[in-house]
Amino acid sequence: MERTLLQWRLLPLLALIAALLYIFFASPRSFQETQGNNKKCSLLPHDHYWISSKRIVTPDGVISGSVEVDGGIIVSLVKEVDWHKSQRSRVKVIDYGEAVLMPGLIDVHAHLDDPGRSEWEGFPSGTKAAAAGGITTLVDMPLNSCPSTVSPETLKLKIEAAKNRIHVNVGFWGGLVPDNALNSSALESLLDAGVLGLKSFMCPSGINDFPMTNITHIKEGLSVLAKYRRPLLVHAEIEKESEIEDGSENDPRSYLTYLKTRPTSWEEGAIRNLLSVTENTRIGGSAEGAHVHIVHLSDASSSLDLIKEAKGKGDSVTVETCPHYLAFSAEEIPEGDTRFKCSPPIRDAANREKLWEAMMKGDIDMLSSDHSPTKPELKLLSDGNFLKAWGGISSLQFVLPVTWSYGKRYGVTLEQVVSWWSDRPSKLAGLHSKGAIKVGKQADLVVWEPEAEFEIDEEHPIHFKHPSISAYLGRRLSGKVVSTFVRGNLVFREGKHASDACGSLQLAA
Ligand SMILES: NC(=O)N[C@H]1NC(=O)NC1=O
Ligand SMILES: [Zn+2]
Ligand SMILES: [Zn+2]
């Protein structure tokens, strides 16, 4: 008797629970396809809302006010003095107080290694790290994935691998390699397929299916890029005699040994060679419309002087450096600590000082991460052999606090951070609907607290696939990312990501 009574009471309850579970878990699937409406894309249940802050970085300076976001677009921007109390009560407002609101970072140089080497990084982990670091768009390099992105077919594989797996927006550079460089229709088909520009190496890349180009390849590549008005990014190092034979006579655990195998003359030689063809990019030149962007400059002396000279003559040339060259110096790299190995190498403290000077003067145009992870085994952390370990720094999540923490002593301003990380990169990549807090632009935004300090230790969630290989582990930084919005979706807030990966692909039209 008691048992039947219990059944009678339990059955309707169970049915109710089942119905609720269905509503929560099954039905949302029907609208997961439509990105903007999918609640799982955002930690915020609104499509139309305002964000207030005392420090909004706009093209017209830092203001106190509110930004209105509707359907992923910035639809208005109101100064605090013009913002009426009556308006405030009618709409959803997220008030960040003193925290800084600025455009999300655009990282034009990241290796996510997907497909083919996703055990090194991959789209999900890499873009989660980006979101946690305030990066709202990144442009993935054509090498380290397998195969390399050198044709429409291989680009298609990238696109497939990225679909529904990216937490921020992702675009792609295509590879300029000997196989396609002298074949304009091959290059055109790659550009037609949507790469934002091309990338080439002037020395061995470390990846067998991505061979280096010579200056003829580069010249031909530029003439095709001119028609598309897209850039060529160049890893500018050229193999020359090094200060020591191959390093094998010297201690491979000493950073100095590695540094001597890749002297500044490698960068200078490559840049001199490269700049012999950039006059074609001038107004009226045979490759007008093409642009050359030198990636990860490390040498702040002769190499930089050559770039300044070319710019002065009207060549369409820009240059980036990376946070690791601005944060670290050769002197402080511990013996055998291959987490710091990258190419070109991190040079001495006097060079780092000159790099900062060039940043502050505007001689270096922008920053990028050159996030290039691998699996820990290839970093040879226990051997500590600098000559054999994989070269690449893992940094994606930390580039904003690193730029700010190390730049503070040089008087870096919020506007400079936006110029180096959002405005200039958006122009390089041709992403004209991004890069500024301005009416009509996409609502790709970061909220961060410049004054908040934190330590990157085991307690701090790092979203790289292999957190242990980051050279920033153990550093104390200032500049904590609070919230990241990608096309109006709140994709990251206080350590938590939105569950679905709703970043969009950025293909050139
Ligand atoms: N292949 C690759 O990622 N190489 C990068 N790593 C690095 O340190 N410099 C590079 O160009
Ligand atoms: Zn490189
Ligand atoms: Zn790189």
Side-chain angles (χ1 to χ4, degrees), residues 111 143-144 201 205 235 296 342-343 370 372 390-392:
H111 301 260
L143 72 160
N144 300 7
F201 269 72
S205 74
H235 178 125
H296 55 43
C342 59
S343 67
D370 194 11
S372 184
W390 170 257

Side-chain angles (χ1 to χ4, degrees), residues 165-377:
R165 295 173 77 228
I166 49 175
H167 294 261
V168 300
N169 306 313
V170 174
F172 306 100
W173 300 120
L176 178 78
V177 289
D179 248 3
N180 62 19
L182 305 178
N183 179 344
S184 57
S185 64
L187 283 184
E188 281 169 10
S189 65
L190 178 55
L191 291 159
D192 288 336
V195 295
L196 301 174
L198 301 175
K199 156 81 183 283
S200 86
F201 269 72
M202 296 178 79
C203 64
S205 74
I207 296 288
N208 290 340
D209 82 341
F210 202 93
M212 62 191 245
T213 44
N214 63 29
I215 200 65
T216 310
H217 297 132
I218 290 175
K219 196 173 170 198
E220 290 303 309
L222 286 176
S223 65
V224 176
L225 284 161
K227 285 186 250 168
Y228 289 80
R229 306 193 78 79
R230 291 183 210 167
L232 174 66
L233 282 76
V234 183
H235 178 125
E237 278 187 298
I238 207 158
E239 284 187 311
K240 291 192 156 231
E241 71 295 343
S242 33
E243 287 166 18
I244 48 178
E245 256 317 290
D246 59 358
S248 53
E249 303 279 287
N250 300 61
D251 179 6
R253 287 177 50 82
S254 158
Y255 183 72
L256 211 60
T257 301
Y258 173 60
L259 189 57
K260 285 180 179 165
T261 63
R262 280 182 111 104
T264 53
S265 57
W266 282 34
E267 280 191 272
E268 189 196 334
I271 290 170
R272 193 181 292 283
N273 196 3
L274 178 63
L275 297 177
S276 71
V277 297
T278 51
E279 65 177 7
N280 298 338
T281 64
R282 291 180 201 162
I283 295 169
S286 61
E288 181 186 340
H291 177 82
V292 169
H293 178 71
I294 294 161
V295 298
H296 55 43
L297 182 81
S298 161
D299 170 32
S301 297
S302 334
S303 304
L304 184 61
D305 291 340
L306 289 169
I307 297 167
K308 283 197 285 189
E309 199 185 313
K311 283 180 177 177
K313 289 182 187 157
D315 296 9
S316 188
V317 175
T318 46
V319 59
E320 73 188 27
T321 190
C322 310
H324 40 276
Y325 301 116
L326 296 169
F328 305 135
S329 68
E331 293 91 330
E332 70 186 270
I333 297 177
E335 195 172 279
D337 198 343
T338 54
R339 293 175 307 164
F340 292 87
K341 181 181 175 182
C342 59
S343 67
I346 292 159
R347 307 195 191 277
D348 63 21
N351 180 74
R352 177 180 59 186
E353 201 63 29
K354 288 192 76 174
L355 280 175
W356 270 115
E357 220 174 272
M359 289 303 306
M360 297 307 284
K361 284 209 314 222
D363 292 334
I364 295 176
D365 302 277
M366 66 190 89
L367 292 172
S368 78
S369 71
D370 194 11
H371 177 68
S372 184
T374 185
K375 45 188 183 180
E377 299 91 280

Side-chain angles (χ1 to χ4, degrees), residues 4-208:
T4 2
L5 206 83
L6 199 66
Q7 270 175 357
W8 274 113
R9 281 191 191 154
L10 270 181
L11 275 174
L13 196 66
L14 283 172
L16 188 68
I17 291 170
L20 284 174
L21 282 174
Y22 177 80
I23 290 165
F24 273 102
F25 293 104
S27 62
R29 235 170 259 160
S30 57
F31 59 77
Q32 265 179 26
E33 318 296 328
T34 45
Q35 289 191 352
N37 295 330
N38 184 1
K39 291 195 180 82
K40 290 180 170 183
C41 292
S42 181
L43 296 166
L44 205 64
H46 312 280
D47 216 27
H48 183 192
Y49 56 90
W50 290 76
I51 308 173
S52 298
S53 154
K54 298 275 179 213
R55 291 185 282 179
I56 305 177
V57 191
T58 77
D60 304 317
V62 181
I63 63 161
S64 176
S66 303
V67 172
E68 183 182 11
V69 175
D70 195 3
I73 304 288
I74 297 171
V75 293
S76 72
L77 173 60
V78 181
K79 284 191 181 159
E80 195 182 359
V81 286
D82 304 323
W83 168 255
H84 305 297
K85 283 228 160 65
S86 59
Q87 261 177 312
R88 196 185 288 250
S89 61
R90 271 190 278 128
V91 286
K92 167 76 191 169
V93 182
I94 316 164
D95 191 349
Y96 284 106
E98 296 290 330
V100 169
L101 173 64
M102 64 181 210
L105 280 70
I106 298 174
D107 183 6
V108 292
H109 189 160
H111 301 260
L112 295 193
D113 313 333
D114 206 347
R117 283 198 187 84
S118 56
E119 71 278 18
W120 289 17
E121 181 63 279
F123 284 119
S125 55
T127 56
K128 271 191 162 180
I135 295 168
T136 48
T137 301
L138 61 84
V139 191
D140 182 50
M141 278 293 167
L143 72 160
N144 300 7
S145 52
C146 193
S148 297
T149 317
V150 292
S151 62
E153 295 76 29
T154 48
L155 176 65
K156 206 162 162 227
L157 296 176
K158 275 271 181 205
I159 293 171
E160 286 304 316
K163 257 185 202 158
N164 301 320
R165 295 173 77 228
I166 49 175
H167 294 261
V168 300
N169 306 313
V170 174
F172 306 100
W173 300 120
L176 178 78
V177 289
D179 248 3
N180 62 19
L182 305 178
N183 179 344
S184 57
S185 64
L187 283 184
E188 281 169 10
S189 65
L190 178 55
L191 291 159
D192 288 336
V195 295
L196 301 174
L198 301 175
K199 156 81 183 283
S200 86
F201 269 72
M202 296 178 79
C203 64
S205 74
I207 296 288
N208 290 340

